């Protein structure tokens, strides 16, 4: 699991200036490893260099400097004719599927096998096997244009797997699909990773996709790796500015300043935003159950008024904005409850508008958990 | 309308039709073949494509742009020295057919290039990613994906080549056009002219029908 299968070593890809277009450093000296058997995500904004990065892996682009090592072989040292079998050993799927319109579904899946020189009978058997695997046996004779987007991508996946590659590259493979189809295709990629042990490299600009499928993720910006790590920690404690923005837009679990103001008009009680991480909770207790269990102990009423809890790599993550109220005689319990909560989870306190109470607008109570502070660094969206 | 003396005209018509068939057939096959090569060369050497080569691309482009707009007869004359080199004479059906081949090649080259350009580059990329060699990509992706519109294009080429062949009389190459002019038009025998017209129209129609049918079939629609 922890053996590198793809290594970038100071890999640089420069597209020279042409005409009015200035020189582009699409991949700007990156060094990192992708490990055998993992699902690795590459995320970043448009033009960050993601496609160029993966195209270096199957040598569709040659590095200007530095090296790209796949399966122990430095691609830079290979001639074009030596590169071809290397490419054949790496599957690739595309945003626009890129199927041959002149061939049937079966013909498309057979293509890489023809390239590899398989005899017809073996080809036919393998194609049937692959179509079965992706659930398209009944479409073998159909033309690509007769299929839905999701089906086309499954043909693309079957084709990419035909020559039993150890690596599968997916460049925006679900960007042209609707959410439900996207989920199906992602499940298929996970299944391929799990059952066939294929290392999968997923490129996307959708953070939501990364959090469902990737074991590790690299965030790219302007040709460089801005951040790399296991998906959960990149999500829960992003360090690079670009990652923070990506996470924020992906989750939208915390109310913006203007939303908070609107919520305030209906909810005069104490408002807090509490982070839901699984870091502290024992495995048997869900983090949100732990939060509400604790609030009950202080005899206060809690209402969720905003928030999202989602899964990242099958672990819960998100935040809840809660209004806490109590009997007029028990107001101090609210303070105690909030303090207790801050000890087990990151809490941002938005205060209350009840006249009798001291307000804590903007006061930030940080739990001190190592992974916690990142999402609570004051950002533009926090009340100052 | 005059009567036609079929005793005399029948064999003349058969011979002329044979000559036209010969000229058109060779020009379409040979010219079309070289057109395919030149068109492929043009596409492949285009900036950003598989065999990118600015010099070759520019040369081919210029050559096509010179040959295509020239009036055919003027080109035939200008090609004289080359024609002599290749077929050893500058008049007669071989000389004329050679000139037709050259024009057909350049005309179809552009046609081939345009059809190749409209292929989704993503498909070529996919084939490359699967380890296909450039030659395999040419055969199994480029030509194959563009085949249906290419056949329509070549059908169109036949019409253009028939048009050229009508001027065969100019180099003494004969053919249906020559027959219509010499024995029809110049002798005020409209019947003969219209019989020839009918033969040409029917021939072209047939080619067009076969081309359309083949193209549809290959598209798999
Ligand atoms: N063949 C090329 N020639 C010149 N410049 C290129 C070429 N390919 C990519 N670039 C440039 O390199 C930069 C990175 O491109 P790349 O396609 O890798 O980005 P990306 O992260 O995949 O973007 P997107 O999310 O839009 O697909 C861009 O500025 C792009 O214009
Ligand atoms: Mg891209």
């Amino acid at each position: 699991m922890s053996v590198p299968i793809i290594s970038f070593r100071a890999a640089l890809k420069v597209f020279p200036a042409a005409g009015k277009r200035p020189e582009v450093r699409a991949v700007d000296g990156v060094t990192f490893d992708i490990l055998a058997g993992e699902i690795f995500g590459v995320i970043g904004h448009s033009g960050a260099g993601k496609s160029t990065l993966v195209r270096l892996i199957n040598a569709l682009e040659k590095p200007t400097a530095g090296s790209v090592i796949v399966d122990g072989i430095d691609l830079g040292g290979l001639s074009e004719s030596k590169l071809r079998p290397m490419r054949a050993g790496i599957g690739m799927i595309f945003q626009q599927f890129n199927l041959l319109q002149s061939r049937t579904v079966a013909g498309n899946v057979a293509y890489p096998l023809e390239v590899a020189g398989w005899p017809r009978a073996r080809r036919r058997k393998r194609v049937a096997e692959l179509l079965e695997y992706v659930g398209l046996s009944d479409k073998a004779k159909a033309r690509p244009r007769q299929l839905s987007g999701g089906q086309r991508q499954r043909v693309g996946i079957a084709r990419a797997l035909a020559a039993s590659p150890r690596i599968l590259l997916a460049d925006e493979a679900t960007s042209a699909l609707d959410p439900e189809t996207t989920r199906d295709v992602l499940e298929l990629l996970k299944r391929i990773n799990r059952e066939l042990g294929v290392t999968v490299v997923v490129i996307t600009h959708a953070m939501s996709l990364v959090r469902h499928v990737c074991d590790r993720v690299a965030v790219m910006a302007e040709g460089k790796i801005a951040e790399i790590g296991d998906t959960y920690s990149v999500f829960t404690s992003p360090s690079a500015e670009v990652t923070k923005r990506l996470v924020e837009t992906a989750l939208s679990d915390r109310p913006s300043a203007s939303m908070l103001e609107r919520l305030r008009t209906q909810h005069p009680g104490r408002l807090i935003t509490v982070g839901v991480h699984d870091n502290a909770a024992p495995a048997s207790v869900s983090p949100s159950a732990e939060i509400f269990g604790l609030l009950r102990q202080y005899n206060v009423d809690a209402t969720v008024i905003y928030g999202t809890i989602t899964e990242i790599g099958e672990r819960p993550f998100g935040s809840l904005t809660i209004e806490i109220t109590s009997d007029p005689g028990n107001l101090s319990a609210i303070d105690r409850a909030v303090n207790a909560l801050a000890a087990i989870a990151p809490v941002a306190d938005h205060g209350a508008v009840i006249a009798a109470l001291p307000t804590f607008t903007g006061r930030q109570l940080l739990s001190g958990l190592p992974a916690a502070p990142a999402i609570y660094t004051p950002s533009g969206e926090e009340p100052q | 309308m005059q009567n036609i003396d079929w005793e005399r005209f029948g064999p003349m018509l058969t011979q002329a039709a044979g000559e036209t068939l010969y000229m058109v057939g060779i020009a379409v096959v040979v010219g079309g073949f070289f057109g395919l090569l030149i068109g492929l060369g043009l596409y492949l050497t285009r900036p950003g494509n598989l065999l990118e080569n600015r010099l070759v691309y520019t040369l081919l482009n210029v050559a096509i742009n010179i040959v295509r707009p020239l009036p055919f007869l003027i080109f035939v004359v200008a090609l004289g020295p080359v024609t002599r080199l290749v077929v050893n004479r500058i008049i007669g059906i071989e000389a004329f057919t050679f000139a037709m081949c050259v024009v057909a090649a350049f005309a179809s080259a552009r046609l081939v290039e345009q059809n190749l350009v409209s292929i989704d580059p993503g498909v070529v990329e996919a084939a490359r990613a699967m380890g296909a060699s450039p030659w395999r990509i040419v055969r199994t992706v480029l030509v194959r994906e563009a085949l249906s519109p290419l056949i329509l294009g070549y059908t169109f080429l036949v019409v253009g080549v028939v048009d050229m062949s009508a001027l065969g009389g100019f180099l003494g190459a004969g053919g249906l056009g020559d027959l219509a002019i010499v024995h029809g038009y110049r002798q005020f025998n409209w019947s003969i002219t219209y019989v020839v017209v009918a033969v040409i129209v029917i021939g072209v129609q047939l080619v067009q029908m076969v081309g359309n049918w083949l193209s549809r079939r290959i598209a798999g629609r």
Side-chain angles (χ1 to χ4, degrees):
Chain A
M1 176 73 197
S2 54
V3 188
I5 188 167
I6 301 163
S7 304
F8 289 88
R9 292 291 173 266
L12 174 74
K13 178 66 193 184
V14 179
F15 293 108
K20 272 169 267 156
R21 190 171 54 73
E23 160 187 299
V24 182
R25 298 172 80 83
V27 173
D28 200 355
V30 304
T31 298
F32 71 99
D33 291 329
I34 295 175
L35 308 178
E38 71 177 342
I39 302 188
F40 188 86
V42 179
I43 180 167
H45 293 296
S46 190
K50 309 180 294 291
S51 293
T52 310
L53 186 82
V54 288
R55 290 161 56 83
L56 287 170
I57 297 174
N58 59 357
L60 290 175
E61 302 283 3
K62 290 213 165 108
T64 312
S67 52
V68 180
I69 299 147
V70 176
D71 247 343
I73 297 169
D74 186 344
L75 301 181
L78 298 183
S79 65
E80 181 65 20
S81 57
K82 290 252 169 54
L83 280 176
R84 271 179 230 136
M86 285 294 293
R87 287 192 192 119
I90 300 174
M92 188 167 191
I93 55 176
F94 308 84
Q95 179 172 3
Q96 296 304 330
F97 323 126
N98 296 350
L99 301 176
L100 293 160
Q101 300 299 325
S102 57
R103 287 177 173 232
T104 60
V105 165
N108 269 283
V109 179
Y111 192 88
L113 302 176
E114 289 167 27
V115 172
W118 287 37
R120 182 183 294 268
R122 264 184 78 205
R123 266 192 337 241
R124 192 170 302 149
K125 191 158 161 284
R126 177 75 178 144
V127 167
E129 227 171 77
L130 287 157
L131 289 180
E132 169 87 48
Y133 191 77
V134 300
L136 285 176
S137 295
D138 54 328
K139 299 283 184 204
K141 292 206 171 66
R143 295 283 179 145
R145 79 172 81 83
Q146 297 164 330
L147 305 182
S148 71
Q151 290 171 331
R152 285 181 208 187
Q153 194 55 291
R154 281 189 277 156
V155 177
I157 291 172
R159 179 175 73 174
L161 292 178
S164 308
R166 293 191 59 204
I167 299 168
L168 179 63
L169 309 175
D171 190 350
E172 306 275 7
T174 59
S175 301
L177 304 176
D178 63 55
E180 198 171 326
T181 318
T182 296
R183 232 182 347 263
D184 291 347
V185 168
L186 293 182
E187 280 310 316
L188 181 56
L189 290 182
K190 276 185 173 175
R191 187 152 72 92
I192 288 162
N193 171 257
R194 208 172 46 234
E195 294 177 357
L196 310 177
V198 174
T199 306
V200 181
V201 182
V202 177
I203 301 187
T204 177
H205 45 238
M207 199 73 178
S208 55
L209 192 153
V210 166
R211 75 163 190 258
H212 288 304
V213 298
C214 296
D215 300 315
R216 291 198 311 140
V217 60
V219 181
M220 257 192 115
E222 290 168 1
K224 298 196 166 70
I225 303 291
E227 189 160 356
I228 182 168
D230 76 85
T231 307
Y232 197 80
S233 58
V234 168
F235 247 95
T236 53
S237 52
S239 60
E241 214 33 64
V242 51
T243 321
K244 284 178 195 165
R245 279 199 305 276
L246 283 167
V247 171
E248 242 164 61
T249 48
L251 287 182
S252 60
D253 59 332
R254 325 182 62 220
S256 67
S258 60
M259 276 182 215
L260 204 55
E261 234 164 78
R262 275 195 300 282
L263 290 170
R264 182 57 90 198
T265 60
Q266 290 165 22
H267 302 282
R270 182 75 160 268
L271 298 191
I272 60 167
T273 299
V274 53
V276 179
H277 295 192
D278 75 346
N279 306 28
S284 58
V285 185
S286 91
S288 42
E290 198 190 13
I291 288 167
F292 287 99
L294 188 138
L295 289 174
R296 256 196 312 278
Q297 284 170 26
Y298 287 87
N299 229 344
V300 293
D301 293 322
T303 314
V304 175
I305 58 172
Y306 195 90
T308 302
I309 302 175
T310 183
E311 273 198 336
I312 295 168
E314 295 169 3
R315 293 155 73 185
F317 179 69
S319 67
L320 297 173
T321 299
I322 300 171
E323 180 189 32
I324 307 175
T325 53
S326 72
D327 297 337
N330 192 21
L331 286 178
S332 65
I334 298 179
D335 271 341
R336 279 183 277 123
V338 171
N339 284 333
L341 209 51
I344 60 159
V347 170
D349 192 347
H350 310 300
V353 289
I354 297 171
L357 267 178
T359 55
F360 295 91
T361 309
R363 201 179 112 201
Q364 310 232 326
L365 300 175
L366 299 176
S367 70
L369 289 172
I375 65 164
Y376 286 102
T377 12
S379 73
E381 295 188 357
E382 289 291 324
Q384 293 303 309
Chain B
M1 286 284 191
Q2 299 89 332
N3 283 329
I4 298 175
D5 174 6
W6 283 104
E7 283 288 291
R8 204 169 75 82
F9 179 66
M12 272 166 46
L13 185 65
T14 331
Q15 193 197 337
E19 285 159 356
T20 294
L21 220 54
Y22 172 89
M23 290 188 276
V24 171
I26 289 183
V28 168
V29 172
V30 177
F33 175 72
F34 282 100
L36 184 65
L37 294 190
I38 299 172
L40 276 169
L42 208 51
Y43 173 82
L44 291 172
T45 56
R46 197 175 243 266
N49 281 4
L50 280 179
L51 306 175
E52 176 170 352
N53 185 324
R54 192 168 292 270
L55 181 70
V56 175
Y57 178 73
T58 311
L59 281 179
L60 290 176
N61 232 335
V62 168
I64 291 177
N65 287 341
I66 290 173
V67 174
R68 284 225 313 164
L70 272 183
F72 179 55
L73 271 188
I74 295 177
F75 179 74
V76 171
V77 174
L79 197 66
V82 184
T83 308
R84 186 193 297 281
L85 217 68
V86 176
V87 297
N88 233 337
R89 35 190 316 201
I90 55 169
I91 56 163
I93 193 164
E94 285 84 8
F96 190 73
T97 306
F98 172 71
M100 280 173 68
C101 284
V102 175
V103 174
F106 283 103
S108 55
R110 190 59 92 197
L111 191 150
V112 169
E113 186 210 11
Q114 275 158 4
N115 279 312
L116 292 181
V117 168
S118 65
I119 294 178
D120 177 7
V123 186
V124 177
E125 165 109 346
R128 227 155 74 75
M130 289 184 273
S133 64
W135 170 231
R136 180 185 287 276
I137 291 176
V138 166
R139 280 183 300 126
T140 61
V141 179
L142 295 178
V143 172
R144 192 60 192 81
E145 287 285 290
L147 196 54
S148 170
L150 272 180
I151 286 175
L152 282 187
Y154 273 102
T155 310
F156 200 69
L157 179 74
V158 174
V159 178
V161 170
V162 169
D163 189 12
M164 287 191 261
S165 78
L167 299 170
F170 181 74
L171 286 193
L176 287 168
D178 191 39
L179 183 69
I181 294 166
V182 174
H183 294 272
Y185 194 77
R186 294 214 185 120
Q187 297 181 11
F188 308 106
N189 190 334
W190 295 107
S191 303
I192 286 185
T193 306
Y194 287 126
V195 167
V196 172
V197 167
V199 170
I200 291 177
V201 168
I202 290 169
V204 168
Q205 263 317 311
L206 279 177
V207 169
Q208 191 81 57
M209 270 165 56
V210 171
N212 287 347
W213 173 80
L214 208 59
S215 162
R216 255 201 318 272
R217 224 192 111 90
I218 278 168
R221 274 176 229 268

